């Protein structure tokens, strides 16, 4: 009769895997890898003259944050919570007016056809050296949110989907109507 | 009373282990600066973590206070750095990357929410100089105003 092979004692397996688990819990982090994605403008060429002649007063929305983290939009104080609506109004080509940016037309593939858009609008953001990062990010967030909401509305209207669900080519079309034009001026230094 | 059958316990624990392995990420560095993440709502995830480089900005942790003071400092990898070192650090990281990876590289700015903008602006200027234009301001989801 063949000798019965004894089974491997697996009772310590649980302990070993517990140990591994605890090791991973300690060394890893539930780190935030989320953030507000932005693109910086390319560096300015030194010998290049600034060309202000083509920029119209009405095409610019001036947003300033002072050292007290207070907001000044177009020369008037504003709450951060109202900034999103204001920025949307400014970028939306459907809303025109004396102080609103010039509207131009662009030809886009179907289903758009001829589309009006505010081709020259610029939102200019200026901070003070002592502005807090949180205040700055809140403002950036609201401005990005304004663009995102407009793009989503447009995507829903034409494709019946939200902007992020669209194909790349479809996204490009919408981006053409709502180009993100956020300029950050050099901060004032005292 | 028969003993409780624990033979499936290792499997359960392993499952837990794999769960944690997949949802968490290895710590990139040990923080030398204190960072309280700012809050925002329009957050996007960094797509390729391996192509992300981090710039940490905050005041030094208490154990480094004596040596470095409590002024806002910048941390690159595992060491404190000056603003002027940010540019060279990024170009150095680029050296080992392929053309395609370079385009996709994101610089994540992890700054404390009370940092003054002048520091952030200086860092951004440095990044612009070396053409590292794709950036990401690390933040956490805002739950309430």
């Amino acid at each position: 009769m063949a000798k019965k092979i004894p089974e491997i004692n697996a009772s310590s397996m649980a302990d070993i895997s517990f140990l591994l688990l605890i090791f991973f819990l300690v060394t890893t982090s539930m780190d935030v890898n989320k953030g507000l994605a932005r693109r910086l403008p390319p560096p300015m060429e030194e010998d290049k003259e600034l060309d202000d002649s083509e920029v119209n007063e009405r095409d610019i929305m001036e947003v300033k944050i002072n050292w007290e983290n207070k907001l000044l939009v177009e020369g008037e104080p504003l709450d951060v919570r109202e900034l999103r609506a204001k920025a949307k109004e400014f970028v939306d080509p459907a809303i025109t007016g004396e102080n609103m940016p010039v509207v131009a037309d662009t030809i886009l593939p179907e289903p758009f056809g001829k589309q009006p858009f505010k081709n020259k609008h610029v939102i200019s953001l200026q901070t003070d050296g002592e502005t807090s990062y949180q205040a700055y990010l809140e403002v950036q967030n609201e401005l990005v949110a304004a663009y995102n909401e407009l793009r989503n509305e447009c995507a829903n209207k034409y494709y019946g989907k939200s902007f992020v669900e669209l194909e790349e080519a479809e996204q490009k079309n919408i981006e053409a109507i709502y180009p993100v034009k956020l300029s950050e001026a050099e901060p004032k230094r005292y | 009373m028969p003993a409780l059958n624990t033979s499936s316990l290792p499997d359960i624990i392993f499952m837990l282990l794999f769960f944690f392995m997949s949802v968490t990420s290895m710590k990139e560095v040990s923080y030398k600066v204190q960072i309280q993440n700012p809050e925002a709502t329009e957050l996007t995830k960094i797509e390729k973590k391996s192509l992300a480089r981090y710039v940490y900005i905050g005041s030094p942790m208490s154990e480094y206070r004596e040596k470095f003071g409590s002024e806002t400092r910048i941390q690159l990898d595992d060491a404190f750095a000056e603003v002027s070192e940010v540019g060279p650090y990024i170009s150095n990281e680029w050296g080992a990357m392929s053309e395609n990876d370079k385009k996709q590289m994101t610089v994540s700015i992890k700054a404390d929410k009370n940092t003054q903008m002048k520091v952030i602006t200086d860092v951004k200027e440095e990044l612009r100089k070396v053409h590292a234009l794709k950036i990401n301001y690390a933040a956490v989801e805002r739950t309430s105003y």
Side-chain angles (χ1 to χ4, degrees):
Chain A
M1 188 181 140
K3 202 181 163 193
K4 203 180 163 200
I5 302 167
E7 261 181 65
I8 295 171
N9 185 358
S11 60
S12 58
M13 196 66 158
D15 301 334
I16 294 169
S17 42
F18 254 127
L19 216 77
L20 268 173
L21 177 65
I22 289 161
F23 170 74
F24 265 96
L25 278 178
V26 172
T27 54
T28 60
S29 55
M30 290 273 205
D31 228 357
V32 267
N33 252 302
K34 282 180 160 184
L36 196 67
R38 294 281 301 122
R39 244 195 128 70
L40 294 174
M44 242 190 298
E45 284 158 52
E46 272 167 29
D47 52 337
K48 210 174 163 185
E49 290 270 317
L50 269 176
D51 191 12
D52 280 341
S53 59
E54 280 179 31
V55 182
N56 246 318
E57 183 59 44
R58 59 188 286 196
D59 289 328
I60 305 171
M61 177 162 139
E62 242 179 29
V63 180
K64 287 182 183 170
I65 322 170
N66 75 353
W67 55 275
E68 269 185 315
N69 303 331
K70 293 264 168 62
L71 206 61
L72 205 66
V73 180
E74 301 276 49
E76 279 168 41
L78 193 81
D79 195 89
V80 193
R81 284 168 235 198
E82 289 158 40
L83 180 64
R84 190 184 302 197
K86 186 115 182 163
K88 272 177 84 173
E89 223 170 75
F90 183 78
V91 181
D92 193 347
I95 297 165
T96 50
E98 195 115 312
N99 295 318
M100 288 288 160
V102 194
V103 178
D105 283 323
T106 175
I107 308 292
L108 286 172
E110 286 306 312
F112 294 99
K114 199 170 154 196
Q115 275 287 336
F117 79 122
K118 289 176 172 169
N119 59 332
K120 281 183 181 164
H121 85 271
V122 173
I123 298 178
S124 154
L125 179 58
Q126 199 170 46
T127 54
D128 188 278
E130 261 135 79
T131 306
S132 87
Y133 182 55
Q134 172 69 48
Y136 167 77
L137 211 64
E138 253 165 41
V139 169
Q140 281 259 2
N141 185 57
E142 290 309 303
L143 295 175
V144 171
Y147 280 108
N148 284 351
E149 276 182 18
L150 284 171
R151 285 176 172 186
N152 264 331
E153 281 164 22
C154 185
N156 266 323
K157 190 173 154 199
Y158 287 99
Y159 298 109
K161 282 188 259 181
S162 70
F163 182 71
V164 283
E165 289 167 29
L166 297 181
E167 305 285 327
E168 210 169 305
E170 295 172 336
Q171 286 191 346
K172 277 244 166 69
N173 288 338
I174 292 175
E175 276 168 24
I177 306 174
Y178 301 109
V180 177
K181 289 193 179 175
L182 262 174
S183 125
E184 287 175 51
E186 304 280 314
K188 278 188 194 144
R189 278 165 212 274
Y190 302 103
Chain B
M1 204 175 103
L4 199 64
N5 186 0
T6 57
S7 58
S8 58
L9 194 61
D11 301 333
I12 295 166
I13 304 301
F14 265 119
M15 225 158 72
L16 262 176
L17 175 66
F18 289 140
F19 169 73
F20 272 100
M21 277 172 71
S22 52
V23 296
T24 60
S25 58
M26 280 283 193
K27 253 184 213 164
E28 307 111 27
V29 290
S30 52
Y31 287 127
K32 289 191 170 177
V33 290
Q34 267 169 347
I35 293 171
Q36 254 189 307
N37 282 304
E39 295 173 351
T41 54
E42 306 299 308
L43 304 180
T44 44
K45 237 181 164 174
I46 296 177
E47 297 127 35
K48 287 199 171 162
K49 267 189 185 168
S50 57
L51 294 177
R53 294 294 176 271
Y54 301 87
V55 178
Y56 307 92
I57 304 167
S59 60
M61 293 269 192
S62 47
E63 59 260 48
Y64 302 104
R65 284 276 164 86
E66 220 169 276
K67 209 169 161 195
F68 296 100
S70 56
E71 275 284 292
T72 301
R73 302 280 310 219
I74 297 165
Q75 181 190 351
L76 295 171
D77 278 341
D78 271 319
F80 286 111
E82 296 296 325
V83 178
S84 55
E85 290 169 57
V86 175
Y89 166 75
I90 297 295
S91 355
N92 188 32
E93 292 291 319
W94 266 351
M97 283 187 196
S98 72
E99 266 321 301
N100 204 21
D101 285 356
K102 267 190 203 174
K103 273 191 212 134
Q104 292 189 45
M105 191 188 79
T106 313
V107 179
S108 176
I109 297 177
K110 293 198 173 193
D112 187 86
K113 62 181 181 188
N114 296 319
T115 314
Q116 293 190 340
M117 274 311 292
K118 56 188 170 200
V119 187
I120 312 274
T121 313
D122 287 345
V123 170
K124 270 159 60 185
E125 277 306 303
E126 272 298 308
L127 292 175
R128 273 178 73 187
K129 265 190 221 158
V130 292
H131 285 265
L133 304 178
K134 208 176 161 196
I135 60 166
N136 190 303
Y137 300 108
V140 290
E141 197 73 43
R142 180 172 59 211
T143 45
S144 66
Y145 246 122

